[in-house]
Amino acid sequence: MGGRKAGIRAGAAISCVLLLGGCGGAGNNGSARREPATVAKAPAQLPVPRGKGSKSADDFNGDGLRDLVLNDLAKSPDDAHGDDAGIGIVYGTGAGTGTTHGLAPGARQLLNPARQAARTKGRSPAVFDAEASCDLDRDGFTDLVVSTDPPYDGQGRPPVPLQILFGSPAGLTGRAVELVIPAAARAGNDWPDQPVCGDFDGDGAEDLVVHASDGRLSYLRGPFTRKGAPRAAGKPLPSPGTVPTGPALDVNRDGYDDLLVRTAEGPATSALVLGGPAGPTRTGTALPSGIDVALGPFGRGRALDAAVGSMDGTSLRYDLPTAVRDSISTPGSVLDAGDFDGDGVSELVSSGAELRILRGRTTGLSATGMVTVPPPARGTTRVLTVADFTGDGRADLVVRTYDGETKDTVAVYAGSKEALVTAKPTVTFSTSEFLGMNS
């Protein structure tokens, strides 16, 4: 469609959640045997649990448990180069039943562009990728912002490619609606993309920030209507870069969400943009050039800290929003963070040739007891997300190993108080299980 395509990552570039990387699970001694996990036969499809609404993140059916979003699903060997298969959702199950909580591959849903996307000029989009998620209409069910490829002849301002699928007690049902960005909130002729959710004005409703043009952001105040319109939207805001990056966090603990804005995709400098009563209007700490940035409380009692990953190693800026520099020698250019042992301090995940987890302690990060995580299967492994899928207060590690476009393994390693993550996956499945599903 001509715009940048970030894809949803529950930890893209800034968060206490994960991005790209290695894989796997680790034992109590900080490492695990490199034995590929065996993926069982696809489980029988289960109904999506019905919820009553919650405040949990990524909870599309409102049952109190986090759900998993998957882009770039495995394709049929007979159609390896075909159109986008859609978006896969794996729902959490077990809430209130007395049984084990967590992701259940059987409770899966395929969001197909032909069935779920809004049509533009009578045409369904060929591209249908999840970009961001939050409760935009404030009804207790998480909504999904999706990127599409509407028709465009290259003349003048392009159409808005973003659509919203609204959550419900049955999950993400019905057709999406096009996101409304008022003309006065746009700038230039770039594609309006890179949506980031957050409560940037502190009123309790989720807002959206979207890339505009010429170093500016479109700021859309929530809550949103079921027709995709924001409560309000003013003139575009100045921005220190062109790539707004989520998820948003309240970095300086002032009650307003903040976001990271990169100057470009790939290796680039970045800066915090701080929220306030007027939204994300103030540029905060500038961060050095890097491939990735992770934020998290890496020591007890600290404000959020920033870790910047580059090919030369990892640099840290503690106690944001000030720019006090510290450093730690850690291989790996792609970073993220999550509290795997539930002690209130985040661990730093560093990935390159291998994926390592550095333990967070009261005094900060420590390489002592570092966990090396091997891949769950052969192929190229990437970290999908870090989040608490079981409701036990500990982050879980979700990775995906690719073997071409037609084979993959998704593995979930549960957070562990003693070992940070379990030695073996607690859940494994393949996104090929979405093939042929009726959404």
Side-chain angles (χ1 to χ4, degrees), residues 49-121:
R50 293 188 65 86
K52 298 180 179 180
S54 82
K55 294 184 179 181
S56 298
D58 289 348
D59 184 9
F60 303 110
N61 58 333
D63 66 347
L65 289 177
R66 186 183 290 257
D67 309 315
L68 179 66
V69 183
L70 296 157
N71 279 324
D72 302 318
L73 305 177
K75 298 179 179 180
S76 165
D78 298 328
D79 191 29
H81 302 290
D83 289 340
D84 190 346
I87 302 164
I89 308 292
V90 177
Y91 287 87
T93 62
T97 64
T99 61
T100 301
H101 298 181
L103 292 172
R108 58 189 184 268
Q109 179 186 24
L110 176 65
L111 304 176
N112 186 292
R115 296 185 177 91
Q116 270 79 34
R119 294 186 176 93
T120 303
K121 297 181 179 180

Side-chain angles (χ1 to χ4, degrees), residues 105-185:
R108 58 189 184 268
Q109 179 186 24
L110 176 65
L111 304 176
N112 186 292
R115 296 185 177 91
Q116 270 79 34
R119 294 186 176 93
T120 303
K121 297 181 179 180
R123 195 189 81 176
S124 294
V127 173
F128 203 57
D129 288 319
E131 297 282 356
S133 58
C134 56
D135 184 3
L136 290 170
D137 59 350
R138 215 173 179 181
D139 66 349
F141 302 92
T142 302
D143 311 310
L144 188 66
V145 183
V146 176
S147 180
T148 67
D149 60 341
Y152 176 54
D153 62 7
Q155 303 298 312
R157 180 171 285 178
V160 176
L162 301 173
Q163 300 184 4
I164 303 172
L165 277 163
F166 289 100
S168 73
L172 293 166
T173 60
R175 282 200 179 269
V177 299
E178 295 178 352
L179 174 66
V180 176
I181 304 180

Side-chain angles (χ1 to χ4, degrees), residues 329-408:
S329 178
T330 307
S333 56
V334 181
L335 308 175
D336 234 300
D339 182 6
F340 293 104
D341 54 6
D343 65 353
V345 178
S346 286
E347 280 69 50
L348 179 68
V349 182
S350 175
S351 61
E354 292 185 297
L355 185 140
R356 300 174 175 87
I357 304 175
L358 279 74
R359 192 180 295 272
R361 300 186 185 278
T362 301
T363 55
L365 290 171
S366 173
T368 302
M370 179 175 64
V371 171
T372 301
V373 186
R378 293 181 180 180
T380 301
T381 304
R382 299 177 184 271
V383 175
L384 287 179
T385 189
V386 166
D388 182 6
F389 288 97
T390 59
D392 64 357
R394 294 190 291 266
D396 308 308
L397 173 63
V398 185
V399 304
R400 183 177 178 185
T401 298
Y402 301 79
D403 185 6
E405 292 188 319
T406 61
K407 296 180 182 179
D408 69 355

Side-chain angles (χ1 to χ4, degrees), residues 53-54 82 108 118 165 189 285 322 337 413:
S54 82
R108 58 189 184 268
L165 277 163
N189 291 330
T285 304
T322 60
Y413 296 83

